[in-house]
Each structure stands twice: as C-alpha cells, then as structure tokens.
Amino acid sequence: MNENNPGDSKTLVCVFCRKNDDCPNKYGEKKTHEKWNITVHYYCLLMSSGIWQRGKEEEGVYGFLIEDIRKEVNRASKLKCCVCKKSGASIGCVAPRCKRSYHFPCGLQRECIFQFTGNFASFCWNHRPVQIITPNNYRDSVPCTICLEFIEPIPTYNILRSPCCKNAWFHRDCLQVQAINAGVFFFRCTICNNSDMFQKEMLKMGIHIPEKDASWELEENAYQELLQHYEHCDVRRCRCKEGRDYNVPNSKWEIKRCQCCGSSGTHLACSSLRSWEQNWECLECRGILYNSGGFQKAKKHTLPNTNNVGINDCLLEESSPKLPRQSPGAQHKDLLRQGNKFRKDISTIITELGFQISKKTKRFYVNKADIWNSALNGFRNRKFNPLYTIEVVYVHENDNFEIEHSGSKQEFLRLLMHHLENSPLFEGSLSKNLSLNSQALKENLYYEAGKMLAICLVHGGPAPGFFSKTLFNCLVYGPENTLPIFDDVSDFDVAQIIIRINSATNIADLNSVMNECYNYLEFIGCLRLITSLSDKYLLAKDILAYHVIKRVQAPFESFKQGLKTLGVLEKIQTYPEAFYSIFCHKPESLSAKVLSDLFTVHTLSDAQALGFWNSYLQAVEDGKSATTMEDILVFATGCSSIPPAGFKPTPSIECLHIDFPVGNKCNNCLALPITKTYKEFQEKMDFAIRNTLRLEKEESSHYIEH
C-alpha cells in the first residue's frame, strides 16, 4: 500500500498486480485514490474474487470501498500466483475443485477467460469456455472482418467467430478494441448488425463491453461542420450586383451548392438555373467526374437534316443530373482529386461479397439446351438460398434427364449471363436498357433477372458488360437524377419522332409534327404549349424521359429489388466507378501473355510441351490458328473472359501422354498432349477445341430450333 509515490503517476503500481502499466485496452483504466495512496487497474479490481461493489459509483474507487480494497489486498497477499509464483493472486478460477489463482495480467498471459458480466467469473486455461462450432471444411484462410488480415478459421483463444454470421471471424484484440470504442449501444456484428446474440457470445468469451456511449458520439462538436451551409457564388462571372455572398431564398439570387462537394456555389441566375431543384455541379467536380474513372462525357451526335443544335448537344449541356445531393464539406472533393487512392478495386469488392457464401451446397440440375428455364426453376425452388454454394449437374433430355454429369458453375453462369443479355427483358443493340414486356412483368421475370445477375457476380460469374450508361445511372443515382440520351431509344418510330421534332426549323413545322403525333404525345403526357422554337428541345427531352425511364418504371423497380440480393445493389451504389467498368464495358480482349500468366503449372510437366503451349498461344494471338484466345479459355474453364472475382480454383495446366487436350471445367485444369513436333501439337489443339465448342453450340441451339 505504501509503495506508491503520489507525485509520479507513471511509476504508480496497481496494488493487485504490482504493475505500473497504463494500458486501458488491456488492463482497464488506471486510477489512483490520492487520499489513501491506492492505485488500481479497473479490470484487476473488477475481477478480484473476494470483493463486491458495496458503495455508490462516486464512493471509493469505482464504487468499491477503500476498506474492502484493503481487505482484498490482504487476502490476496496470502495467495501465490500459479503463473509468476509471486504473492497477491486475487483472482481464482471458478471451476469446481480448481484451486488456481493468478494476477489479472498473468491470466491474460496464460489465455484465461474473464467474463465482464453477471458475477464476473474467471476461468483458467484448462476450464475456460470454448465456442461450440460445427465442423467446416475451410480450405483457405479468411479475413478478420475488422482488420481484414487473413486468419485460419479455427476457433482458439485469439480467434473468435460470430454466433450469428457463420463466416465472420475476428481477432480477439480487434474485438476488444472495437468494443471499447463502440460501447454497449453500438457494439454489434460487423456483418449483420446483430447486437443481442453477438454481445451475449462475446461476453461469454471474455470481451469487455463498457456501458458507455460510442467514443465518436462523445467527441465535442464532432459533426459541427455538417451544420454549416456554404453560401458564396463561385462562378467566373457573378451577375449579382449585391456581391457573391448575397443570398435571397426563393429568388433567382438564391445560392445553389454543388451537388457533389457542397463546397462551391452559384446564384441560380448566374448559372441559368430555372429552379433550386435543378441539379448543378461546379466545374472542378464536373471535370473530375466526366474526365476520369469511366465517367467520360459522351460524344455529341448530330441528327440528320438539321442545321440547329442536336438534341444530344442540348441535353449534354444541361446541368448534370448524375449525382444526388450530399452533405456539405470539402472532403468529397478531396476524395475525387485523389482518384483511385480511395476507390476499391472491383475484384476486392466482389471477393468481399463472396465471404457470405457458406460451404453448404445447393444442387442445380441444368439442361444446357434450356439454360433459362433451368436457372429459373433452380432460383425459384423453395429450398434455394443465394448464400449456398451452387453445385451444377448437367442433364440431357435425350437421356430422359436420368443421367447426371458434373458441370462447371462458371460455365453455367456464363451461359446464363449470355441469355440475359439477349433476352426480351432488355432492348438495344450493344448498350441495353430495360424493355417493357407485360408478360415478363406479370411473371415477375424482371425481379428474377436482377436476382440472377447479383448471384452471378457474387458466385464468380462473368461481368455483364451490356448495360447502357443511362440504366446504370438509374440504379446508382435514381431515375429522377438521370438524363437519357438519344442513343437510348431503340424504337425506330419514337426515334423518328424525336428527329423530326429536332429538325423543325420554325414554329409552324414544329406544330405540324405535334399535330401528326398528337395521339402519341397525349398518351405519354408530353403535350406542351409551343411559344418559341427552342421549346422543341424541351419536348424532345420529355419524350426521351418518358420512353427510356418513365415507361419502364415498373420493370425497373422489380429489377432493382432483385439486384439487392446478397447486397449487390448497395455495393453498386457505394462504389459506382468500380462497377461501371464491368456493367457498361465488355472485358478487354485476351492476349497470349494474359493466358500464359493465368495458367499455373502445378505438377512436373514436360518442358517441350510447355514450350509448344506458349508458341501456340502466340500463334493464336497472331491469327495463325482457327481458334481464338476466348475459345481456349472456354475450353479449359467454361468462361470466355476472366470473371471480376477471378477464378477459383486457379486455372492450371499439366502435360500428359494423351491423344488430344482435355479441359476439366470443374477444376479449371487443362491437360496438354505431349507430342514430338509443334505442328502435331497445334493440330491436336485446334481439332479438339474447335470440335468441342462446335458440339456445345449445336447442343445449345437444339432447344431454340425445336
């Protein structure tokens, strides 16, 4: 009791453990009662076996009376720690007949469990509770969902698993730091946000959850900047005579903030904005958004038979509607300037989504001649769960669906994505928008399409690559913030109406077009009073908005709901630039180097055959073979491009004494024939790949023809 010098706080030692460490995360807060010259670690005091909190919170030390602390120290002085062999072991194992006693730091060292709840029980290393987990065949390491470092998914003292999310694993230290920062009100599962079950399990496993508010909630004026409104006109030429800071609500001199960064502004009149609801971006944000990261400004298209400004030119020069309004502050603009430093790679995002997939499998019976109905039946099955691993089994109608063959999941997902792209649910040539198909809407097929697309991505399927920028922006920012362009119109008659309206050279011509199309314009609600020739652009804009967006509102909402499966839509809206590259662009063409690097050699292979393989890849790239790079990849893996999440397992090659190459699509393994000459090698490769793919195409087309 008399060891401490009150004038030197760093050397004050805890009366229980005799350590002067000041580590709140490990030992709890270190507190000194100066009157009685007593210093304790909060956890050492809390876990001591022979003391109870008999006072109020403000009495003694944390409600423990000084006289009780003295008695407990005296009791502990007679007990020897079974770890360090020194006296003062105030904590004992509560297991029956166990006589082990130890200091709190010594207990941590030997991986004892201290339960900060109920009677504050302590368990030694032999009697500590363990997590009861059903055996799982985890082949690979999984990331800690807090620090993202990879760990072995085996429950130990330092590795814990969430009780509510079976694929969520944590470091004990990560959990403890998170619990201290979050407090009892915000400490929950990082995957599903469950708090009750999660906290109960963590308390049992010795995680201390303090009864306090989160640390970020206790910071004074932490969100003060969110309450500040930027009120300054930053355009090059401000027209307001009262100055750039003049702001009159509900007038043309009201200041509108940039919808992206919120740290630049303009008077409505200075940027020719008709109302406050109209979106506006500052020049800096517009330049960043449209000149980098895939959001480049679309090329202007001139329409035939017009000497005036084209409809696309007019629409593109309107204030951009791409992004929703965000909270004021310069931080967003800083993120835009930094570019990819703050953006997640698409493969990382898809991989993280894939952590949800459990080891439990769901068997899919697939008829390759009827991929769509096979997928529809499988996904609509009551027992299907998108979190289950998909196991593909091929059946054939010629065998009365009785003979089963193991199939490649990635091949099935590629064929399904190809069918989706060419289905009547979408319209357009290369860049597609949703169509209006009443029968598909009645059968809820738009929802199923969104669900299939989400499952394809998360389960390792190919990138869609066929979305129009307008459809993608509707998903990310909402239809109300998206402006369609003329290229989105796939209906020839509607396109001709827009062209004729845009080509009108005077009001009489414009009224003539409107009279001819009166019934159509009345039906879609686009009739308007024409007062000047420039009204033709507004009319064309209204027709575009109806045909591309409003007309397909019901299919869009249904498709959007399906895309929420496995959290895909939420990730798209969080990382739009990453997903834009795989939704609106086809994958880059494969090269000899890409394929050579993609395939690994796992077994001792013939050096000459490997040399022939590299020469063959180069010959295919140079056009000296009838096959293509995509054909080779399909033959070996079932995919015509590298999926966003990559291949699992990694594609490999082996050299065998066989007549022809064999592609094992289930294992992504390509067996190469060992030959004496390169010419023989190339002939065998060409023959096997061409004929295999030809037979598969004939099998798929059989259903379409009959």
Side-chain angles (χ1 to χ4, degrees):
M1 291 287 186
N2 301 319
E3 295 178 12
N4 292 330
N5 178 7
D8 191 359
S9 60
K10 292 185 179 180
T11 61
L12 297 178
V13 298
C14 172
V15 296
F16 289 104
C17 68
R18 305 299 175 86
K19 291 182 178 291
N20 61 358
D21 303 54
D22 189 5
C23 182
N25 288 349
K26 199 170 183 181
Y27 305 129
E29 184 183 3
K30 184 180 178 182
K31 191 167 184 179
T32 300
H33 194 290
E34 295 183 358
K35 180 179 179 181
W36 299 100
N37 191 22
I38 292 178
T39 299
V40 296
H41 289 124
Y42 180 47
Y43 294 169
C44 292
L45 176 62
L46 205 58
M47 298 308 302
S48 292
S49 303
I51 190 171
W52 303 92
Q53 188 181 36
R54 297 195 299 127
K56 297 180 180 179
E57 194 68 30
E58 63 275 5
E59 293 184 83
V61 182
Y62 301 111
F64 292 89
L65 302 180
I66 298 299
E67 58 184 274
D68 292 342
I69 296 176
R70 289 180 179 275
K71 290 179 181 179
E72 179 64 6
V73 172
N74 183 56
R75 183 190 72 84
S77 65
K78 303 173 185 178
L79 300 172
K80 183 180 291 186
C81 176
C82 61
V83 180
C84 68
K85 308 305 179 183
K86 296 180 181 179
S87 62
S90 62
I91 306 173
C93 177
V94 299
R97 298 182 182 178
C98 183
K99 297 181 179 180
R100 289 190 179 95
S101 296
Y102 34 82
H103 302 102
F104 184 83
C106 295
L108 290 180
Q109 179 184 339
R110 284 303 304 270
E111 300 183 349
C112 297
I113 292 289
F114 302 95
Q115 295 181 344
F116 295 88
T117 184
N119 292 327
F120 293 88
S122 171
F123 299 87
C124 70
W125 51 93
N126 281 342
H127 301 114
R128 69 189 182 205
V130 295
Q131 288 188 302
I132 302 175
I133 296 175
T134 55
N136 279 306
N137 297 322
Y138 289 98
R139 298 180 180 177
D140 304 318
S141 299
V142 297
C144 167
T145 59
I146 297 178
C147 71
L148 299 183
E149 289 186 4
F150 280 87
I151 55 180
E152 292 299 323
I154 301 174
T156 63
Y157 175 80
N158 292 310
I159 305 297
L160 301 176
R161 192 177 79 165
S162 171
C164 41
C165 295
K166 304 307 180 184
N167 293 326
W169 294 80
F170 312 90
H171 292 109
R172 173 180 288 273
D173 292 341
C174 293
L175 275 173
Q176 186 58 77
V177 172
Q178 177 120 330
I180 290 175
N181 288 329
V184 69
F185 302 109
F186 291 93
F187 184 57
R188 56 194 65 185
C189 176
T190 56
I191 302 297
C192 68
N193 279 337
N194 179 286
S195 59
D196 295 336
M197 184 191 305
F198 186 75
Q199 289 190 16
K200 184 178 179 181
E201 177 73 7
M202 294 306 125
L203 285 170
K204 185 187 80 171
M205 298 308 299
I207 301 298
H208 178 227
I209 310 172
E211 293 185 4
K212 67 178 186 67
D213 210 343
S215 57
W216 56 84
E217 296 288 343
L218 300 175
E219 184 179 346
E220 187 176 358
N221 296 325
Y223 308 103
Q224 189 66 28
E225 64 176 12
L226 299 180
L227 304 177
Q228 299 175 0
H229 291 259
Y230 187 85
E231 296 182 351
H232 184 79
C233 182
D234 296 295
V235 297
R236 182 176 299 178
R237 294 182 180 180
C238 179
R239 302 176 184 176
C240 182
K241 296 180 180 180
E242 301 296 329
R244 292 182 177 271
D245 295 325
Y246 187 67
N247 182 27
V248 180
N250 301 320
S251 73
K252 65 179 181 179
W253 302 121
E254 181 177 5
I255 290 180
K256 169 77 174 179
R257 292 180 294 278
C258 173
Q259 64 174 347
C260 293
C261 65
S263 58
S264 295
T266 177
H267 290 115
L268 298 182
C270 296
S271 294
S272 302
L273 299 177
R274 299 181 181 180
S275 67
W276 195 89
E277 286 75 19
Q278 194 171 353
N279 291 325
W280 177 80
E281 296 166 350
C282 64
L283 290 176
E284 187 172 7
C285 286
R286 181 175 294 188
I288 294 171
L289 286 171
Y290 292 114
N291 294 324
S292 67
F295 284 94
Q296 296 183 358
K297 194 171 183 180
K299 295 181 179 180
K300 297 181 179 181
H301 303 274
T302 55
L303 300 177
N305 302 325
T306 176
N307 297 322
N308 296 55
V309 180
I311 181 66
N312 282 13
D313 297 334
C314 171
L315 295 179
L316 286 170
E317 291 174 359
E318 294 283 345
S319 299
S320 174
K322 303 295 182 185
L323 295 172
R325 286 186 292 158
Q326 301 184 14
S327 301
Q331 292 182 355
H332 186 72
K333 185 179 290 185
D334 291 338
L335 292 180
L336 290 173
R337 289 196 192 100
Q338 295 297 329
N340 288 328
K341 182 178 179 182
F342 293 94
R343 297 173 190 157
K344 277 195 175 183
D345 181 76
I346 184 62
S347 62
T348 303
I349 301 171
I350 300 296
T351 301
E352 289 176 356
L353 285 171
F355 290 150
Q356 308 172 73
I357 308 303
S358 68
K359 297 297 181 181
K360 187 172 183 179
T361 60
K362 170 60 181 176
R363 179 168 288 192
F364 260 58
Y365 293 94
V366 177
N367 178 10
K368 292 178 72 173
D370 189 7
I371 287 291
W372 174 252
N373 285 320
S374 297
L376 204 58
N377 293 334
F379 290 135
R380 284 180 169 177
N381 190 303
R382 292 183 178 180
K383 295 183 179 180
F384 174 73
N385 187 329
L387 295 175
Y388 293 168
T389 297
I390 296 176
E391 179 185 343
V392 174
V393 175
Y394 286 138
V395 293
H396 201 283
E397 59 183 358
N398 292 340
D399 303 323
N400 295 321
F401 304 104
E402 293 179 356
I403 300 178
E404 300 177 1
H405 305 278
S406 296
S408 165
K409 178 180 69 173
Q410 289 176 322
E411 180 184 38
F412 163 62
L413 296 179
R414 172 183 66 86
L415 296 173
L416 178 58
M417 190 70 76
H418 178 74
H419 182 93
L420 274 176
E421 180 178 358
N422 297 284
S423 71
L425 302 178
F426 296 90
E427 62 183 19
S429 53
L430 298 177
S431 297
K432 296 179 181 290
N433 291 291
L434 289 173
S435 65
L436 180 59
N437 188 314
S438 58
Q439 185 63 29
L441 194 60
K442 182 179 179 181
E443 296 177 7
N444 205 25
L445 294 185
Y446 289 99
Y447 170 82
E448 297 295 343
K451 179 180 176 181
M452 290 178 185
L453 199 148
I455 292 174
C456 279
L457 283 178
V458 179
H459 283 262
F466 60 86
F467 279 38
S468 71
K469 184 183 289 187
T470 298
L471 176 55
F472 183 78
N473 286 339
C474 285
L475 290 170
V476 177
Y477 310 117
E480 68 280 2
N481 293 317
T482 302
L483 194 65
I485 61 174
F486 179 75
D487 288 348
D488 291 321
V489 180
S490 60
D491 187 295
F492 178 79
D493 294 332
V494 175
Q496 288 299 310
I497 292 174
I498 295 175
I499 291 174
R500 290 183 62 191
I501 290 174
N502 184 70
S503 303
T505 56
N506 53 58
I507 295 180
D509 290 344
L510 185 57
N511 283 326
S512 175
V513 175
M514 290 186 63
N515 288 333
E516 292 182 26
C517 306
Y518 182 87
N519 292 334
Y520 171 73
L521 295 177
E522 182 182 35
F523 175 76
I524 66 175
C526 289
L527 284 176
R528 62 165 52 241
L529 180 65
I530 301 299
T531 58
S532 65
L533 186 60
S534 61
D535 287 344
K536 66 181 182 179
Y537 299 123
L538 297 177
L539 178 59
K541 181 180 176 182
D542 290 344
I543 297 174
L544 274 175
Y546 170 80
H547 184 80
V548 179
I549 294 179
K550 295 179 182 178
R551 180 177 65 98
V552 295
Q553 183 176 358
F556 174 78
E557 291 299 327
S558 182
F559 180 75
K560 185 177 175 182
Q561 288 299 316
L563 204 55
K564 289 181 179 180
T565 304
L566 296 172
V568 171
L569 180 62
E570 181 182 355
K571 288 293 185 183
I572 293 174
Q573 294 172 340
T574 305
Y575 304 104
E577 294 185 0
F579 280 92
Y580 179 81
S581 62
I582 66 170
F583 271 78
C584 301
H585 292 290
K586 290 293 184 182
E588 295 182 0
S589 299
L590 297 172
S591 65
K593 185 179 186 308
V594 169
L595 277 192
S596 178
D597 294 340
L598 180 64
F599 285 86
T600 59
V601 182
H602 288 308
T603 58
L604 186 62
S605 298
D606 184 88
Q608 180 174 273
L610 292 178
F612 289 166
W613 161 250
N614 290 322
S615 299
Y616 180 69
L617 291 179
Q618 192 60 53
V620 172
E621 183 177 18
D622 295 340
K624 298 177 181 178
S625 171
T627 60
T628 64
M629 293 293 178
E630 289 71 21
D631 291 341
I632 298 174
L633 193 60
V634 171
F635 180 77
T637 68
C639 293
S640 58
S641 61
I642 301 175
F647 286 101
K648 190 175 182 181
T650 303
S652 62
I653 56 176
E654 57 183 349
C655 302
L656 303 174
H657 291 281
I658 51 180
D659 293 333
F660 293 97
V662 177
N664 187 337
K665 298 176 183 178
C666 297
N667 296 324
N668 297 330
C669 182
L670 175 61
L672 302 176
I674 297 177
T675 60
K676 294 182 179 180
T677 64
Y678 171 72
K679 182 179 179 181
E680 184 183 359
F681 180 88
Q682 180 176 352
E683 289 176 351
K684 289 187 174 184
M685 293 291 291
D686 286 345
F687 178 83
I689 294 175
R690 283 203 314 267
N691 284 280
T692 300
L693 298 185
R694 177 180 59 80
L695 290 174
E696 290 179 351
K697 288 180 180 178
E698 290 177 356
E699 183 181 358
S700 298
S701 63
H702 172 78
Y703 174 80
I704 299 175
E705 294 173 358
H706 295 88

